[in-house]
Every structure is written in C-alpha cells, then in structure tokens.
Amino acid sequence: MAIDRNDISDPAFELEIFQYLKDFGFTPERRGDIVHLSGIGVDSGDNSVDIALNLVEMDGHRILEISSVLRAPGVSFEKAMTIAAQGNLSCVTAKFTPVENLEESTHSVRAGQVLYADHLSGVELKAMLYLFIKEVDAIDNMLIDMLIN
C-alpha cells in the first residue's frame, strides 16, 4: 500500500518555523506556504545553497521537507542521475535525486531531507538544518562542476 502524500498549510506551524529560522540568524522568506532561505552556507565561503521548507502530511503525520536544487543549468537524465549518485555516495543526511524540468526537457539535481514534524523542537530543527546545509554546501560546487562539464 502506497503512502499518501499531501501538501498542507498550517499557518501557526509555518509561523513557528519562520520564527525559529529568524532566531537562528537566517532571513527567511515566505512564498505561499513554503519558507525559503537563499544564499546560505557553512564554511565554504560562497553561500551557494538555497533551501525550501515545505510542510506535508503523510498517512496522518506531518513531515517537514527540506530541499535544495543545485544552481546549475539543466542536463540530460543520465548526467543528472550520475550526479545524484555521486551526491548520495558523499552525504549522510542529504539525499540527491534528479528532477525533470518539463518546460525545458532537461533535468536538475535536488538535495532533500525530511523531518518528522508532529513534535518538532527548535533544537532539533536547528541541528538537522545545520547538518543538511553543511553537507550540501560542502559538495555542491563539485557537483555543479560535474553537471556543467
């Protein structure tokens, strides 16, 4: 039996996440029910990671999806799959997948992580977000170079 995934909107929860992010020193933006962080990074100095946080419901549980699409032009499915595999071999918390861009008939690569959000604390969010950003920021430049070349 498949897990049913539904995008949901919970203004109170989204406001809480937004406030946590501001408390952590980020400058979040809201675009509909998705919270965005742009131009962030850890230790690489280039601040090249853009993140979207989206609340979904799966089989009666709330899940916070954290995702980041690599800043690179679209490529073939085969190349995107190879880059995603390299990302998965290099990272523990971030999982990489190819994403089809229907309008351009190309593919990009997305890093993602999910957090159980029924009882999400600020401490847990801060720790997991830091790990995700650190992993993606450490490898994104190498992966983007592989995508471009």
Side-chain angles (χ1 to χ4, degrees):
M1 185 160 108
I3 294 177
D4 191 24
R5 179 198 178 281
N6 297 306
D7 252 347
I8 60 172
S9 180
D10 181 342
F13 180 78
E14 292 161 10
L15 183 61
E16 181 180 3
I17 295 299
F18 196 84
Q19 189 58 49
Y20 280 145
L21 294 171
K22 287 176 75 172
D23 293 345
F24 302 157
F26 294 113
T27 52
E29 299 173 12
R30 291 184 74 157
R31 296 181 195 150
D33 66 343
I34 298 176
V35 177
H36 289 268
L37 300 173
S38 298
I40 54 177
V42 177
D43 294 332
S44 71
D46 65 355
N47 298 333
S48 60
V49 179
D50 299 322
I51 292 182
L53 294 95
N54 186 29
L55 184 63
V56 299
E57 185 268 334
M58 293 179 163
D59 284 352
H61 298 284
R62 295 183 332 164
I63 306 293
L64 185 63
E65 292 179 331
I66 301 170
S67 64
S68 176
V69 176
L70 297 181
R71 294 179 181 175
V75 295
S76 68
F77 173 75
E78 292 78 11
K79 193 162 193 175
M81 193 67 191
T82 302
I83 302 310
Q86 180 62 47
N88 288 330
L89 289 170
S90 304
C91 295
V92 176
T93 63
K95 298 302 170 208
F96 292 80
T97 56
V99 177
E100 185 176 10
N101 304 322
L102 294 174
E103 296 169 355
E104 302 171 12
S105 298
T106 61
H107 292 78
S108 56
V109 177
R110 175 188 164 275
Q113 178 185 51
V114 295
L115 297 176
Y116 178 71
D118 281 344
H119 304 286
L120 183 63
S121 72
V123 173
E124 179 184 10
L125 177 62
K126 184 177 184 178
M128 295 307 293
L129 194 56
Y130 171 79
L131 291 173
F132 180 78
I133 294 167
K134 185 175 181 181
E135 276 192 336
V136 173
D137 194 39
I139 195 170
D140 68 338
N141 292 330
M142 181 190 74
L143 295 177
I144 290 169
D145 285 345
M146 290 172 69
L147 280 167
I148 293 172
N149 298 318

